Amino acid sequence: MKNLPRFIAFIASALVLLLFVYPLWRITLEAPQYPEGISMYIWINQITGDTPGTLQNINILNHYVGMQQIVPSSIPELQYFPYVVAALGVLGLIAALVNRPKVYLIWVIIFGALAFLGIYDFYLWEYDYGHNLSATAPIKVPGQAYQPPLFGSKMLLNFNAISYPAGGGIFMGISLMLSFLAYLLSRSSKKTPVNSASLKAPKTKQKAKPHLQHF
Amino acid sequence: MKISKIILACVPLMWIGACNSGNPESTPSGGAMAKNNAAEKVYVAPGEHDEFYSFMSGGFSGQVSVYGLPSGRLLKVIPVFSLDGEKGYGFNEETKPMLQTSFGFVPWDDAHHPELSQTDGVPDGRYLFINGNNTPRIARIDLSTFETAEIIEIPNSGGNHSSPFTTENSEYVVAGTRFSVPIPQKNVAISSYKEEFKGALSFISVDPEEGHMEVDFQVLLPGFDYDLAHAGKGKSHGWMFFTSYNSEESHTLKEVNASQNDKDYIAAINWKKAQEYLAQGKAIDMPAEYLINRYNEKKHMAETEKRTSVKVLLPQDCPGLIYYLPTPKSPHGVDVDPTGSYIVGNGKLNANLTIHSFDKMITAIENESFAGDIAGIPVLNFEDVVAGTVESGGLGPLHTEFDGEGNAYTTFFISSEVVKWKLDTWEVLDRIPTYYSVGHLMIPGGDSKKPWGKYMVALNKITKDRYLPTGPELAHSAQLYDISGDKMELLLDFPTIGEPHYAQAIPAELVKPNSKKIYKLDENEHPYFTKSESDARVEREGNEVHIYMTSIRSHFSPDNIEGISVGDQVYFHLTNLEQDWDVPHGLSVMGAQNAELLVMPGQTETLLWEPVKAGVFPFYCTDFCSALHQEMQGYIRVSPKGEQLPLSFSTGE
């Protein structure tokens, strides 16, 4: 029982490290003349596509409406995200080794905050690509922005843009939930052996309450 | 009670049954009518794919056309032996070497017989070979790109007709001459035919990895006309059979003079024996000049290699190499059944078909039961080797294919029909007219060990009233038949390109997964490759100007060029930087005396432009590539001869 949170924290750390193996997010563009769709994968350290040429193909399509080129080497996040993710994994492993609620809590808070900031940062990039358009674009549609959704699908002129977490993003979400679970379990498992008598008393009290209300 | 239950139970089943029959074999209203509804059998719904790729020779167009079956839809015309302005084939610098021969640039040929490469006697979907009859050549088409990858010239040949039939594992494709010629070529009287003219049968080896062809050896035979061929298979693997006519060795008015002998010969060549003789050094090295042109897919260009000799085996030095099988009436096609047991001789001036037995042939050879010899070549006794005769009731048999179910199908040119008959019993099972005067027929895999005997295509020589008239010249007609039942059933007529002599077909799934979508830019080894727009430039070397140009939706780089003079040779080396499927860019330049370029994604091609007038001339993209295709254009400025501005080039300035 005492090792359960530790076990869960190990799994959570392993899952977050899968971000090195699977992409974080996937954006797919669908149009009649792209029957197989064009999918772009956002990793913590790179942007890839179905084929080596996919990014170029998306940039070609984007240039008609004046969107900036997506150039992975010019996106600083792709340089330092791997360190952030590695640190999160290591922090999880440390928390598992220490196996104390406070350490788990610190991990959960840092993890949660970074995940939120990461997604917010992704949103900002999307906003910038979608709104910061060249003044000399061959195709200009007044009032039209080309920001893909963060989560879900949206028609952008002739393209349906579909955006969802990919494998890595899903594992990261599970990892975050597991880290929180590890924290919760560490609290209860810590209290159980050390202070079992005092715990039992309030429990019976709590149980009694509904009875009282019934009466 | 019970009966009503059964009826109730059947109602939903019938409903389901009706729904199932509606798709994809028949329309929703199909049902019981479907069996005889030809339209439904050839209907391939929009967006769906055909079951078979079919490759038809272009005959005098020199090309190969690719059709889907059963729809009869044209998918592509592959340029092979003839110039093709549509694709710039033979016009751009990269493909000009493909049409080089020892006679120089020969931009046309007469393409007769497509032949798919085989593994274990079954078409494998790697390559398609096709012969050029006029200036003897064999081409190899790569079925990952559907482009001509290689053309080899055949020395000592005068009409490469019995070609390019393959052995079981494409160890060889063959090239037998239909027109015997003096070997080596020399200036002699035509009337010296019987003394001076010989027929060469060539065995072209195919490299199992690269597909590269080489003339491994030739067999020099009497000056007959070696008409068609097919390899043995299974038990007869190791043998190659060639029909011949003109055993009279006439050289004029052949329609009469070559039709006098009651029997001509099928030449049976033991090519495994030939390999032994080669290993023993029995071949003579005969001087011969011929070219091999290979397209390098990484360099995106063809390169020509010259050969100066050929290994020749003489039958008199090589006992057991070749036997003649007497076969009635100027046999045309020679077809070996899927088991390799029977060799069908289609005596084209005959009513009946002669079938030889491979086993009987071997027994006769072992017993040395010969009727005589011709120039040292043993002639077997007809009675010793014949297995049976099909009393066809037709006239003018030309070609036979097989369905893998023990049945054979033979075309009759004169009586304009296909006759279905049974192997072993030789009885006629069915017959059906063709429109009109059928030459070859084709069953997918029908000349291999494993026919896919669902359809048969008749390739007809005469069209007349089959389609809307188009003046005196009419497209040749193909007809698709369903042969899955006892009775053959005509499904579809469709016009074709040039004159499809023969065709081959293969299930789509053996080819489709290997079909390339793009060429990878980072594998491009073209010497004038331009990796990115920032490398685009113009360089002068004397009066040669090399433009390192790129195309990407929707502009060329550079698109403004100055500093050219009349008399310059301007090479547009266009690299298509696209890496997306189906985004070719074209390039045409005003006044160019060749053709356009049509450059696939990742490819580099070169257009030579020799300006003859001073001025400013536009160039533009010819393949509608994007919403801004019309804007994909540029200008090149030409100064009068002798005046030369400094070279300058730009894009977007």
Side-chain angles (χ1 to χ4, degrees):
Chain A
M1 192 60 195
K2 190 179 174 235
N3 279 329
L4 183 61
R6 174 174 282 169
F7 178 68
I8 289 171
F10 268 123
I11 292 177
S13 305
L15 286 180
V16 78
L17 291 175
L18 284 177
L19 279 169
F20 285 94
V21 187
Y22 298 103
L24 185 63
W25 224 266
R26 169 187 171 143
I27 298 176
T28 302
L29 300 174
E30 286 179 347
Q33 60 271 65
Y34 289 89
E36 70 283 12
I38 319 171
S39 288
M40 181 168 72
Y41 300 92
I42 296 144
W43 300 63
I44 52 169
N45 60 342
Q46 60 178 342
I47 297 174
T48 62
D50 299 317
T51 70
T54 297
L55 200 57
Q56 171 177 304
N57 299 337
I58 290 175
N59 280 332
I60 290 170
L61 295 171
N62 288 351
H63 101 281
Y64 291 116
V65 292
M67 292 170 73
Q68 306 154 72
Q69 295 247 329
I70 302 169
V71 183
S73 61
S74 72
I75 299 174
E77 282 84 339
L78 299 177
Q79 307 300 318
Y80 63 75
F81 266 15
Y83 297 103
V84 174
V85 171
L88 268 179
V90 171
L91 192 58
L93 291 174
I94 291 170
L97 288 174
V98 177
N99 199 24
R100 290 170 64 171
K102 236 180 218 169
V103 184
Y104 282 128
L105 185 61
I106 292 168
W107 180 39
V108 170
I109 289 169
I110 293 175
F111 194 167
L114 285 175
F116 175 79
L117 284 174
I119 289 169
Y120 181 63
D121 182 60
F122 179 42
Y123 171 83
L124 291 180
W125 275 105
E126 284 191 332
Y127 185 89
D128 186 49
Y129 278 117
H131 290 82
N132 188 3
L133 305 174
S134 165
T136 58
I139 297 175
K140 281 188 222 128
V141 182
Q144 172 78 45
Y146 302 97
Q147 181 183 359
L150 201 54
F151 196 93
S153 65
K154 188 181 177 190
M155 281 305 292
L156 304 171
L157 288 192
N158 58 323
F159 278 99
N160 187 26
I162 305 159
S163 170
Y164 286 110
I170 292 166
F171 287 129
M172 188 184 79
I174 296 170
S175 173
L176 184 56
M177 286 189 277
L178 288 180
S179 66
F180 189 60
L181 182 65
Y183 161 66
L184 290 180
L185 289 172
S186 71
R187 273 178 58 191
S188 53
S189 66
K190 196 182 174 188
K191 283 169 189 169
T192 313
V194 177
N195 218 347
S196 57
S198 62
L199 258 174
K200 266 182 187 170
K203 255 191 185 171
T204 33
K205 260 189 187 171
Q206 279 174 348
K207 268 187 183 173
K209 267 186 184 171
H211 286 277
L212 283 170
Q213 281 168 352
H214 272 277
F215 287 117
Chain B
M1 177 69 183
K2 270 186 180 171
I3 289 167
S4 66
K5 262 190 181 172
I6 290 165
I7 291 169
L8 280 174
C10 282
V11 168
L13 282 178
M14 286 161 69
W15 178 248
I16 291 164
C19 286
N20 282 347
S21 72
N23 212 348
E25 291 284 306
S26 58
T27 61
S29 62
M33 280 175 65
K35 192 179 175 299
N36 292 316
N37 197 330
E40 288 169 2
K41 288 183 179 176
V42 300
Y43 181 71
V44 177
E48 306 219 329
H49 291 169
D50 277 289
E51 191 179 347
F52 292 95
Y53 281 102
S54 165
F55 302 92
M56 299 199 178
S57 71
F60 40 69
S61 90
Q63 320 294 43
V64 166
S65 50
V66 187
Y67 287 84
L69 293 181
S71 73
R73 297 187 293 195
L74 176 65
L75 305 176
K76 185 176 182 180
V77 177
I78 304 170
V80 184
F81 293 116
S82 296
L83 292 172
D84 182 4
E86 176 188 335
K87 298 171 177 70
Y89 181 83
F91 289 108
N92 62 45
E93 297 306 297
E94 286 74 11
T95 53
K96 277 180 183 172
M98 291 303 284
L99 301 175
Q100 283 297 335
T101 72
S102 61
F103 298 90
F105 186 73
V106 178
W108 172 89
D109 215 306
D110 182 18
H112 279 239
H113 310 120
E115 179 86 339
L116 289 159
S117 58
Q118 295 186 359
T119 302
D120 296 327
V122 182
D124 57 19
R126 295 178 71 202
Y127 307 121
L128 182 81
F129 300 93
I130 187 158
N131 62 323
N133 189 62
N134 181 53
T135 305
R137 289 177 274 184
I138 293 178
R140 177 174 56 88
I141 293 161
D142 188 325
L143 293 184
S144 69
T145 58
F146 284 63
E147 300 284 353
T148 304
E150 185 176 8
I151 295 180
I152 185 170
E153 190 181 0
I154 311 298
N156 293 337
S157 183
N160 182 33
H161 195 266
S162 37
S163 180
F165 302 95
T166 180
T167 56
E168 262 189 22
N169 297 294
S170 294
E171 295 95 340
Y172 291 114
V173 291
V174 297
T177 189
R178 197 174 110 205
F179 311 132
S180 287
V181 287
I183 295 177
Q185 268 293 3
K186 55 190 159 193
N187 176 16
V188 294
I190 299 170
S191 59
S192 68
Y193 189 104
K194 284 187 184 173
E195 299 78 48
E196 299 284 359
F197 287 44
K198 294 272 179 282
L201 305 183
S202 307
F203 285 73
I204 316 298
S205 62
V206 180
D207 180 81
E209 296 303 318
E210 299 290 326
H212 289 171
M213 297 185 283
E214 291 282 353
V215 182
D216 195 36
F217 66 93
Q218 295 188 317
V219 182
L220 223 53
L221 297 181
F224 305 166
D225 292 19
Y226 294 90
D227 202 8
L228 280 153
H230 262 112
K233 44 178 90 96
K235 64 165 81 168
S236 52
H237 177 58
W239 290 80
M240 181 63 75
F241 304 96
F242 291 85
T243 45
S244 70
Y245 61 97
N246 193 26
S247 56
E248 298 86 349
E249 298 188 72
S250 76
H251 57 84
T252 183
L253 197 62
K254 285 198 186 185
E255 71 168 311
V256 174
N257 294 332
S259 305
Q260 296 306 306
N261 289 349
D262 183 52
K263 292 188 176 66
D264 294 280
Y265 301 100
I266 288 175
I269 294 191
N270 185 339
W271 57 261
K272 290 206 166 158
K273 198 92 176 172
Q275 290 178 325
E276 290 171 23
Y277 284 126
L278 283 180
Q280 291 165 19
K282 284 276 176 77
I284 52 170
D285 281 309
M286 187 179 275
E289 189 191 11
Y290 58 103
L291 304 187
I292 302 176
N293 310 314
R294 290 180 181 142
Y295 188 84
N296 181 323
E297 205 179 295
K298 296 276 195 298
K299 289 186 179 172
H300 299 286
M301 57 167 57
E303 288 157 341
T304 295
E305 288 178 33
K306 190 172 175 177
R307 298 285 182 270
T308 52
S309 78
V310 63
K311 288 194 185 314
V312 174
L313 291 172
L314 302 173
Q316 56 269 32
D317 300 340
C318 305
L321 174 66
I322 172 169
Y323 300 91
Y324 276 144
L325 282 63
T327 305
K329 299 289 177 192
S330 301
H332 188 56
V334 54
D335 301 293
V336 181
D337 83 299
T339 68
S341 303
Y342 297 116
I343 303 134
V344 181
N346 302 265
K348 68 175 181 276
L349 305 179
N350 206 350
N352 300 332
L353 273 174
T354 304
I355 295 96
H356 296 302
S357 157
F358 177 73
D359 291 337
K360 289 177 83 173
M361 181 189 93
I362 294 297
T363 305
I365 290 169
E366 282 168 357
N367 295 339
E368 298 190 3
S369 168
F370 303 133
D373 77 282
I374 297 173
I377 298 163
V379 178
L380 298 168
N381 284 300
F382 178 71
E383 295 73 21
D384 285 350
V385 293
V386 72
T389 302
V390 177
E391 308 283 338
S392 72
L395 191 60
L398 290 185
H399 300 280
T400 300
E401 296 246 305
F402 307 90
D403 65 4
E405 309 280 334
N407 304 309
Y409 301 73
T410 301
T411 56
F412 287 78
F413 177 80
I414 300 171
S415 51
S416 187
E417 61 183 336
V418 173
V419 172
K420 176 182 178 181
W421 51 275
K422 198 165 179 55
L423 286 156
D424 292 314
T425 68
W426 325 120
E427 62 182 310
V428 171
L429 301 174
D430 190 23
R431 61 197 321 130
I432 195 162
T434 64
Y435 308 93
Y436 305 95
S437 292
V438 58
H440 276 269
L441 78 172
M442 180 275 286
I443 291 169
D447 68 340
S448 76
K449 270 165 91 172
K450 189 187 145 192
W452 291 274
K454 187 173 178 182
Y455 301 112
M456 181 262 289
V457 177
L459 300 152
N460 301 293
K461 301 300 185 190
I462 295 171
T463 308
K464 296 207 164 162
D465 62 347
R466 295 304 287 181
Y467 309 109
L468 288 172
T470 54
E473 192 197 351
L474 304 169
H476 281 235
S477 176
Q479 271 134 23
L480 179 76
Y481 297 83
D482 180 350
I483 57 163
S484 60
D486 289 339
K487 291 277 178 193
M488 294 178 277
E489 188 190 338
L490 176 60
L491 299 180
L492 183 70
D493 255 17
F494 56 100
T496 56
I497 291 178
E499 179 184 352
H501 288 265
Y502 186 39
Q504 292 262 282
I506 185 169
E509 65 264 24
L510 294 179
V511 174
K512 191 167 127 179
N514 307 324
S515 191
K516 285 207 168 100
K517 291 184 169 175
I518 60 164
Y519 298 101
K520 288 182 183 159
L521 268 179
D522 54 19
E523 291 175 1
N524 187 319
E525 294 170 8
H526 193 290
Y528 293 94
F529 170 51
T530 311
K531 194 169 187 283
S532 69
E533 276 186 41
S534 55
D535 296 327
R537 63 193 184 276
V538 183
E539 291 174 358
R540 177 180 283 282
E541 296 163 20
N543 73 331
E544 279 187 14
V545 177
H546 294 273
I547 304 171
Y548 292 74
M549 183 179 267
T550 65
S551 64
I552 197 158
R553 282 163 288 173
S554 303
H555 60 274
F556 293 107
S557 226
D559 66 4
N560 279 204
I561 299 159
E562 300 191 358
I564 311 294
S565 305
V566 170
D568 283 344
Q569 291 190 308
V570 183
Y571 291 89
F572 287 83
H573 305 287
L574 178 62
T575 299
N576 182 352
L577 293 177
E578 303 280 356
Q579 291 287 270
D580 202 357
W581 189 23
D582 199 15
V583 193
H585 289 294
L587 172 68
S588 65
V589 188
M590 187 173 167
Q593 291 169 336
N594 32 35
E596 63 154 354
L597 298 179
L598 186 64
V599 190
M600 296 303 125
Q603 199 177 28
T604 304
E605 282 187 355
T606 303
L607 181 80
L608 171 59
W609 185 63
E610 294 171 282
V612 294
K613 292 180 190 173
V616 179
F617 301 98
F619 55 86
Y620 70 99
C621 174
T622 48
D623 186 316
F624 204 110
C625 57
S626 67
L628 296 163
H629 162 73
Q630 295 300 86
E631 286 73 12
M632 193 160 173
Q633 54 183 267
Y635 289 103
I636 185 162
R637 177 179 171 185
V638 180
S639 306
K641 199 175 175 80
E643 283 179 34
Q644 198 170 304
L645 293 171
L647 273 184
S648 68
F649 55 90
S650 61
T651 315
E653 284 160 23

